Amino acid sequence: MSVALVILAAGKGTRMQSELPKVLHHLAGMPMLGHVINTGNSISPARMIIVTGHGAQAVETFAKDFNKNVETIVQPEQLGTGHAIDQARETLADFHGNVIILYGDVPLLKSSTLANLNASLSKADLSVLGFETETPDRYGRLVVDNDNLKRIIEFKDASKSEKAIKLCNSGLMAISKTLLFELLTKINNQNASGEFYLPDIVEHAVAAGKSCKVMLCNELETMGVNSRAELSKAELEYQNRRRNAALENGVTMLAPSTVHFSYDTNIGCDTIIEQNVVFGPGVTVETGSQIKAFSHLEGAFVAKGSIVGPYARLRPGTQLEKNVKIGNFVEVKESRIATGAKVNHLSYIGNASIGARANIGAGTITCNFDGVMKHQTKIGTDAFIGSNTMLVAPVSVGKEALTASGSVIVNDVPNGALALGRSKQVNKPGLAIKLLARFRSLKATKKE
Ligand code: UD1
Ligand code: MG
């Protein structure tokens, strides 16, 4: 049976205190809505429709860039979750199959749970994802009789005894398209919020003799994000999942709770990650590498056996080939560093290519920016760049060439050449002693 996903994302998210629509707030480096779309795609839906409202343009732009198969529809006024779903009536007119309703601000749902929710429709006409909790707070409560769901009561409308129910509505549900839109015609807004509640369809389904079931899942998976505090709670849960997955995949982490992953971080087995490491989006670290403490990586590829840090920063476009060493206080951006090369101390490498086994001395800087444009620096294999060399790009240093410490290199250096780009040293015998004596006597006269 084909499935259409409808993702609700029209709500304002007032409690976020933000100009950004709620579903575009990031979780592990990607908008929450992106997580929901990815999870949705895991069951290969025939259609994916996002209901937008607040910040509709921004949400639509993100969603369509993220996945070209996504469709968006606008709910002009937010009159409730039932009203939101009803906006998809026309769009889905020619669709035959089941509908699964997801929320754009419920980003932690697992693909396996979604697949189970989908499959559960083989045993029920309407299947609601629910969870049990000791702190049901403001969630809608699921009223069940034996195995059957009878109705869903919103917190605001619940009696004292109904509020004591610990079985809660995640908001996510699966139902056939035909039944969904038939039931939606029956709901009204005569309730404490004056809204058209989607959960009210349960009561009408039961009245029509349909079977409604609850599928249980873990509370954290269906956690809704309505405030910054909840966003940070969701982030923590997501990070814990990623940390556990990395450990299970053979990654050693000295202090897992201090390592932060992005949604797409890819770490090979037998990598060792020390304390306080941050992976921004787009990082791959191959097997057997070491990422030492306090390093920050983003948009970087680290090939097998490389060592990065401590205190290293790899920015987007960094490509480290095998067994490269990037040491403390080194920043690399848009650069390719070939096998076995070393940049061990206090350097900036930007828009550069560095040959195999080249050694870049402490304090080396590729001066890549002239105030308007970026320029390339090329360093050959087995070159040796002396400490504190300024490489004023565009410039190249040939293979097995050497630059003297403190040089400012503005012209290309041929293969095998030594480049001296600094002023000549002059020694004045005995002058230091004479000068110091003069300074001391000057100081003594000033005191008097
Ligand atoms: C809803 C459920 C509640 C459930 C809870 C789980 C209803 C009436 N209540 O309550 O039973 O326990 O979720 O988190 O459904 N939205 C729209 N248009 C609207 C209203 C909402 O698109 O007119 C979207 C929101 O952006 C959000 C989702 O629907 O993504 C849920 O809306 P929200 O207002 O957060 O519902 P809750 O009060 O949390
Ligand atoms: Mg909510």
Side-chain angles (χ1 to χ4, degrees):
M1 185 66 92
S2 62
V3 183
L5 297 181
V6 181
I7 304 174
L8 296 190
K12 190 166 180 201
T14 316
R15 286 165 58 205
M16 292 299 282
Q17 302 285 1
S18 175
E19 305 216 326
L20 191 68
K22 179 164 73 173
V23 294
L24 297 186
H25 280 264
H26 281 205
L27 186 73
M30 176 164 75
M32 285 194 274
L33 184 58
H35 289 269
V36 179
I37 294 174
N38 278 348
T39 307
N41 270 328
S42 68
I43 59 163
S44 309
R47 306 273 296 270
M48 193 182 303
I49 294 157
I50 299 176
V51 182
T52 66
H54 279 278
Q57 194 54 57
V59 174
E60 179 177 340
T61 305
F62 165 75
K64 290 196 164 156
D65 273 1
F66 189 78
N67 189 306
K68 63 177 173 24
N69 296 325
V70 158
E71 302 161 63
T72 55
I73 52 173
V74 182
Q75 181 193 22
E77 272 185 294
Q78 281 66 59
L79 303 180
T81 46
H83 177 259
I85 294 294
D86 206 41
Q87 307 305 300
R89 184 183 290 274
E90 255 176 59
T91 315
L92 287 175
D94 58 354
F95 170 78
H96 303 287
N98 294 330
V99 173
I100 297 185
I101 291 149
L102 303 177
Y103 287 0
D105 59 355
V106 177
L108 295 174
L109 183 74
K110 289 183 183 167
S111 305
S112 52
T113 306
L114 179 59
N116 289 340
L117 180 65
N118 189 21
S120 69
L121 271 191
S122 62
K123 294 189 206 101
D125 296 310
L126 196 171
S127 191
V128 170
L129 195 61
F131 58 89
E132 272 174 310
T133 174
E134 286 306 311
T135 51
D137 298 332
R138 305 187 66 80
Y139 285 113
R141 308 297 206 266
L142 301 180
V143 181
V144 291
D145 180 10
N146 291 322
D147 226 10
N148 297 312
L149 175 63
K150 291 294 171 196
R151 64 189 187 109
I152 303 179
I153 182 85
E154 287 307 300
F155 172 79
K156 279 189 188 173
D157 303 290
S159 65
K160 207 171 167 202
S161 62
E162 285 164 337
K163 279 181 183 153
I165 297 174
K166 290 175 178 165
L167 183 59
C168 294
N169 176 26
S170 74
L172 281 48
M173 60 172 75
I175 182 171
S176 82
K177 183 208 102 171
T178 321
L179 183 59
L180 171 66
F181 289 107
E182 197 182 302
L183 294 172
L184 280 174
T185 59
K186 300 186 176 168
I187 64 170
N188 62 43
N189 60 356
Q190 306 302 303
N191 52 51
S193 308
E195 288 185 0
F196 294 91
Y197 293 158
L198 173 67
D200 280 359
I201 65 170
V202 172
E203 216 173 337
H204 295 290
V206 172
K210 304 290 178 188
S211 81
C212 302
K213 300 275 179 196
V214 178
M215 202 194 103
L216 281 179
C217 79
N218 184 306
E219 182 184 355
L220 277 173
E221 258 193 76
T222 51
M223 181 196 150
V225 174
N226 300 298
S227 63
R228 307 272 179 166
E230 285 170 357
L231 182 63
S232 72
K233 203 172 150 198
E235 179 76 40
L236 178 62
E237 167 62 13
Y238 187 85
Q239 291 299 333
N240 283 337
R241 281 188 196 171
R242 294 299 302 237
R243 289 164 187 153
N244 289 337
L247 294 169
E248 270 167 30
N249 291 338
V251 175
T252 291
M253 284 192 278
L254 303 191
S257 65
T258 67
V259 175
H260 286 255
F261 294 103
S262 279
Y263 65 98
D264 61 350
T265 309
N266 196 348
I267 313 274
C269 68
D270 288 325
T271 291
I272 298 171
I273 303 173
E274 293 187 357
Q275 298 87 341
N276 295 294
V277 171
V278 174
F279 295 100
V283 175
T284 293
V285 177
E286 284 193 341
T287 174
S289 301
Q290 220 176 317
I291 311 295
K292 297 194 169 202
F294 297 98
S295 293
H296 189 287
L297 295 81
E298 189 181 358
F301 179 85
V302 177
K304 278 183 186 175
S306 293
I307 300 177
V308 173
Y311 298 99
R313 179 164 185 215
L314 303 187
R315 289 173 54 203
T318 296
Q319 294 243 13
L320 307 185
E321 292 183 1
K322 284 181 202 161
N323 304 321
V324 162
K325 280 180 83 175
I326 301 293
N328 40 238
F329 305 106
V330 171
E331 174 180 347
V332 185
K333 184 216 77 167
E334 286 281 349
S335 295
R336 187 179 182 86
I337 302 186
T339 305
K342 292 177 186 166
V343 191
N344 270 336
H345 329 269
L346 301 151
S347 290
Y348 171 64
I349 305 297
N351 303 90
S353 72
I354 295 180
R357 298 174 302 278
N359 191 316
I360 312 298
T364 295
I365 288 178
T366 54
C367 310
N368 59 334
F369 188 46
D370 59 14
V372 181
M373 293 206 298
K374 299 279 166 64
H375 302 282
Q376 294 290 319
T377 299
K378 270 184 157 178
I379 296 171
T381 53
D382 297 302
F384 184 96
I385 306 298
S387 295
N388 201 31
T389 296
M390 301 294 118
L391 296 153
V392 183
V395 75
S396 71
V397 176
K399 60 181 184 186
E400 294 177 75
L402 206 149
T403 69
S405 300
S407 289
V408 179
I409 303 295
V410 291
N411 298 316
D412 290 351
V413 181
N415 292 344
L418 165 67
L420 285 142
R422 62 189 187 202
S423 50
K424 220 173 177 147
Q425 183 176 333
V426 181
N427 288 343
K428 306 274 186 185
L431 191 56
I433 291 165
K434 273 192 205 163
L435 272 176
L436 285 174
R438 206 166 89 207
F439 296 157
R440 279 182 199 116
S441 77
L442 267 171
K443 194 176 175 187
T445 9
K446 274 199 172 165
K447 267 189 187 162
E448 281 158 16

